[in-house]
Structures are given as C-alpha cells and as structure tokens.
Amino acid sequence: MTFYNKIRAVNSILNKTSKDVQSFTTGASVSCVSGCFECCTKNIFATELEFYPLAYHLYKTNQAEFYLEKYNAGNKQASPCVLFNPSMHNNEFGCSQYKYRGLVCRLFGFSFNTGKNGELKFATCKPLKIKYKERLSELPKMQILKPEMKNYYSLLYKIDFYLADEIVPMNEAIVKAIEKVLFHYEIRNTKKRI
Ligand code: SF4
C-alpha cells in the first residue's frame, strides 16, 4: 500500500466511525454535555496512524510547522493535546481541527467494550455517566448499532499492524504523524527536483 493510500484508508475508517457513532447517539438519544471538552484535556493515548489524515491536511494547508512549533514551545506540559484550543476564537473553542480528529476522539464517550463474560459495556466518560446515570444499564441492551472500540482499532491493524499496535500519549501520536508525513513528502519532493 502506498503512503497516500494508507492515509486514505485511515480516513475512511475515521468517516465510518463518525457515521456509526452518530447513528448510535441518534438512536439512543444521547449527546455530550453542552460545552464540555473534558476528554480533550485528559491524558488520552492514541496511535500515530489515526492522525495521518490530520497530518496530511496540515501539510497540504501549510499548518504543520505551526503545530510542531506550538508543541515544542512548551505545550507538552500545558495541554495533553496540541490541537486543543482553550480560548474563545470566532465563537469557538475546543478542537482546532475537529474534522481531522483521531479515532479515539470520535469514539470517546460513545463506544462499547466487552466485559469479562462477553457482555457489552458502555465505555463512557464521567460527565456522561452522571448525565445518563438512570439509563446506563439499558444502553447496551438497545437494538441499535453499538460502536465497539475494538472493531475500529482492528480495521487500523489491517492497514499497518505495527503502527496500529503502538499506543502513545495524544501529543506524541499527533507530532509523530506530522513528522512522518512531512518527512515522506519532503523526500518525495527532493527526489523530483534531482
Ligand atoms: S484531537 Fe481534537 S478532539 Fe481529539 S483530544 Fe485533541 S482537541 Fe480533543
């Protein structure tokens, strides 16, 4: 698989995930707590592979260096995610690259894990546990599409086993993806010039 096809393949998994999660949230009538961005400020782990479409978009729009500099300028300690924008800008705050967010970002709060006895467990966050405390046990039993975290990650494994298996802190995953994409396309452009 070429590098570009790998990016496209990851992108279609991300799109499918968003569609499935949306189908679940609509079917179950659940949604995030309004204005909550707690998941973006937690120390979450991810794979660099799930951020390849983001990195490619940043490369194509000349924003890659901006995020690398932001990370290197001290954001490592300040925020677990370099894409998170805590201040209000154009009436928005939160993920500055929402369309290109990672797989874990799309599944967070609205996915399922398998318990010890094979039962589905709603793997959600604290704010949603409080918001839906009366309905938590009924959600896994609903006859609707229930996104299981492991199914989406197994699709990533099919694209690149090694990269899908490497789970690192969020910022590290994003920065590695950006560096990998920059390196790939810079080498390619240099070869073209020679
Ligand atoms: S990539 Fe975006 S959605 Fe995911 S943790 Fe970072 S700011 Fe939040």
Side-chain angles (χ1 to χ4, degrees):
M1 194 185 285
T2 65
F3 194 74
Y4 182 64
N5 281 344
K6 203 178 267 192
I7 295 170
R8 288 187 57 172
V10 175
N11 200 39
S12 38
I13 294 173
L14 296 179
N15 290 337
K16 177 185 166 34
T17 309
S18 287
K19 252 172 106 179
D20 290 356
V21 169
Q22 191 171 1
S23 161
F24 167 71
T25 54
T26 306
S29 290
V30 290
S31 60
C32 282
V33 173
S34 175
C36 174
F37 286 100
E38 201 178 295
C39 53
C40 302
T41 58
K42 294 255 177 242
N43 286 311
I44 294 175
F45 284 68
T47 63
E48 69 174 70
L49 188 57
E50 66 197 81
F51 285 104
Y52 274 18
L54 164 89
Y56 183 69
H57 165 70
L58 296 181
Y59 161 70
K60 291 298 274 184
T61 53
N62 294 320
Q63 298 182 80
E65 298 294 345
F66 168 79
Y67 284 102
L68 288 181
E69 278 168 24
K70 188 178 171 194
Y71 174 74
N72 288 325
N75 212 285
K76 295 169 202 173
Q77 273 80 40
S79 168
C81 183
V82 75
L83 301 185
F84 182 65
N85 174 18
S87 52
M88 196 64 98
H89 176 68
N90 290 340
N91 249 354
E92 282 179 15
F93 76 107
C95 184
S96 58
Q97 299 291 336
Y98 188 75
K99 191 175 167 198
Y100 298 94
R101 69 201 186 284
L103 186 57
V104 68
C105 314
R106 290 165 204 251
L107 289 164
F108 203 88
F110 298 114
S111 59
F112 291 80
N113 282 332
T114 313
K116 274 188 210 147
N117 303 315
E119 78 286 9
L120 272 192
K121 286 172 73 174
F122 187 41
T124 192
C125 57
K126 208 170 164 191
L128 288 179
K129 272 186 189 157
I130 295 168
K131 185 177 176 185
Y132 295 110
K133 65 174 185 295
E134 316 292 345
R135 298 178 55 210
L136 280 184
S137 57
E138 93 191 31
L139 291 172
K141 295 178 204 145
M142 291 183 86
Q143 296 300 311
I144 54 172
L145 189 152
K146 293 179 283 277
E148 282 185 68
M149 183 85 81
K150 68 173 180 353
N151 293 344
Y152 301 92
Y153 276 92
S154 66
L155 293 175
L156 273 192
Y157 273 94
K158 285 186 189 157
I159 297 172
D160 188 313
F161 183 87
Y162 172 73
L163 289 179
D165 203 41
E166 205 176 85
I167 310 273
V168 294
M170 181 67 78
N171 269 339
E172 214 179 291
I174 293 171
V175 166
K176 274 183 168 183
I178 296 175
E179 286 174 345
K180 209 66 82 64
V181 166
L182 284 185
F183 182 74
H184 176 84
Y185 285 102
E186 267 159 26
I187 293 276
R188 213 177 69 148
N189 293 340
T190 309
K191 277 185 185 161
K192 271 188 196 163
R193 284 197 295 271
I194 295 170

